Amino acid sequence: MEKMFKRALLGTAIAAVAAAGSANAAVQLAGENFEIYGTAAAYNMFDSPKASGSDSTNTVGIESKIGFKGKHVYEDFGPDFLWQIESGWASHADSSWASDRGLLGGRDTFIGLGFDFGNLKIGRMTHASYDIVDWPHSNPGLGNVFDWNNDLGASFQDRADNMIRFESAAMGPVKFNVTASGMESSTSDIITSAAVYFTQDKFGLHAGIYSRGEAEDNSFEEHSYAIVGGNVYLDKLTLSAAYKLMEYGDNDQSAISATAQYLLTDKLLAKVGYASTDDAEGTTGTSDQAITARLGYLLPSTYLYMDVRNYDFNDSDESADTTRLLIGAEYYF
């Protein structure tokens, strides 16, 4: 139930819920010029660590957000003016790792110009390649292994400030996105990222790349990742899989993800997911694994779900292993 819900690939049932929410409940104060949208979302998570002597915990995560967006079409000026201001998740307020921290403008917030051939934006946005990592390949609950996790010491941006982003218009079944950021200290520290999509009725393919050279002040080494994946739509069954290769300096680490979703009825779905990494080059005992399962229930503008998520980190080391039970709901407007 990530930020990419709005950008889900065609053919997924959950994306249809999000789209229905936007169509049925979005507040348009001036047509496309000004809209209010958002998500009211929360989950209860029971966490049962495997390590001896570790206490079980119960927490509530709040993934609610609100956003404002618009598109102004001029009569005497070629491109359209695009803008968006979106809040961060409320539950990130106390998370030292989360740069959005529930702030208005914490998530995708930008201005831009819309042309017939695509959109050019500046602001705070996600990297092109990260869109693929996040959705569909880190859902449900696979991000702990497939998304931000690595044992190389690398830090990859996902959503970032100081971003320049171009999103092409569809050229038949093909479209692409390109992003650049990371130049706040030196333009030589630039992060570049690109993603390309090929979409058909029964399947979709996508690939992305992220690259950053060695820091001007030598504070980090050259690092990058490449991802390739796809989806297959078989009536009520949707399959997805991806492979990601990460590199930091002279070392690398691989990650894989696979999911299967089946519509049991027009409202009830089941989804399972698997993700793993191998040992990072130059290390032993650093492989990780996630196995997850979900039951979801679809209502107009609403998604109810229950997840079981099992995590096995660092091979035979049980200190970070855990199993989680999540029960939650998401309402889109």
Side-chain angles (χ1 to χ4, degrees):
M1 44 255 168
E2 310 280 332
K3 53 188 170 289
M4 305 315 300
F5 229 56
K6 295 290 184 179
R7 302 176 186 167
L9 298 176
L10 295 175
T12 62
I14 301 172
V17 174
S22 298
N24 296 338
V27 180
Q28 290 191 334
L29 300 184
E32 287 187 309
N33 289 348
F34 183 55
E35 298 182 35
I36 300 175
Y37 69 95
T39 311
Y43 60 82
N44 187 85
M45 181 173 71
F46 177 76
D47 197 336
S48 179
K50 187 174 182 179
S52 177
S54 297
D55 291 331
S56 298
T57 61
N58 193 85
T59 56
V60 174
I62 304 297
E63 296 181 342
S64 297
K65 65 179 182 182
I66 190 167
F68 310 90
K69 64 180 179 180
K71 179 176 76 172
H72 193 100
V73 180
Y74 300 98
E75 294 182 1
D76 54 356
F77 185 66
D80 304 331
F81 183 78
L82 311 173
W83 65 274
Q84 179 171 299
I85 305 170
E86 185 173 296
S87 74
W89 285 353
S91 59
H92 283 177
D94 298 322
S95 301
S96 59
W97 53 266
S99 58
D100 54 25
R101 294 194 177 95
L103 300 173
L104 186 62
R107 288 171 66 88
D108 288 12
T109 298
F110 57 81
I111 61 171
L113 295 175
F115 302 89
D116 291 339
F117 55 83
N119 299 328
L120 180 63
K121 305 173 181 178
I122 57 172
R124 177 171 173 78
M125 292 166 283
T126 54
H127 271 288
S129 58
Y130 181 73
D131 294 344
I132 297 173
V133 174
D134 182 69
W135 183 273
H137 302 299
S138 291
N139 179 277
L142 302 177
N144 303 48
V145 171
F146 191 75
D147 186 341
W148 56 86
N149 172 60
N150 73 83
D151 299 288
L152 299 168
S155 177
F156 300 111
Q157 285 188 350
D158 42 41
R159 177 178 285 107
D161 296 331
N162 307 305
M163 179 80 72
I164 303 170
R165 180 177 173 114
F166 176 75
E167 303 162 346
S168 80
M171 298 169 285
V174 178
K175 72 180 300 293
F176 68 89
N177 301 328
V178 180
T179 53
S181 71
M183 297 176 281
E184 50 269 23
S185 297
S186 171
T187 54
S188 63
D189 292 340
I190 186 172
I191 302 170
T192 56
S193 177
V196 61
Y197 300 84
F198 180 84
T199 304
Q200 296 288 289
D201 290 341
K202 295 296 184 181
F203 71 93
L205 301 174
H206 38 255
I209 189 166
Y210 173 110
S211 179
R212 190 178 204 181
E214 185 177 358
E216 180 74 13
D217 61 3
N218 297 316
S219 58
F220 55 79
E221 296 185 62
E222 179 180 2
H223 53 285
S224 64
Y225 70 80
I227 180 171
V228 59
N231 304 279
V232 178
Y233 310 112
L234 304 171
D235 192 22
K236 296 180 180 181
L237 177 66
T238 300
L239 304 174
S240 73
Y243 171 78
K244 181 171 69 166
L245 176 63
M246 302 166 283
E247 296 182 342
Y248 186 74
D250 295 326
N251 298 321
D252 63 62
Q253 186 174 24
S254 297
I256 60 172
S257 167
T259 69
Q261 176 180 284
Y262 187 78
L263 286 172
L264 301 169
T265 69
D266 61 341
K267 293 184 178 181
L268 183 66
L269 66 86
K271 187 172 185 179
V272 293
Y274 173 84
S276 66
T277 67
D278 59 5
D279 289 341
E281 188 174 359
T283 71
T284 58
T286 57
S287 62
D288 306 314
Q289 176 182 273
I291 299 174
T292 65
R294 165 173 293 183
L295 281 177
Y297 193 74
L298 308 170
L299 293 168
S301 303
T302 308
Y303 184 46
L304 311 177
Y305 63 91
M306 180 177 68
D307 288 3
V308 176
R309 306 176 179 182
N310 178 264
Y311 301 109
D312 183 352
F313 295 104
N314 296 324
D315 201 8
S316 59
D317 183 351
E318 297 183 351
S319 61
D321 297 353
T322 191
T323 299
R324 295 171 178 171
L325 173 67
L326 284 78
I327 299 176
E330 301 171 348
Y331 177 78
Y332 292 83
F333 61 89

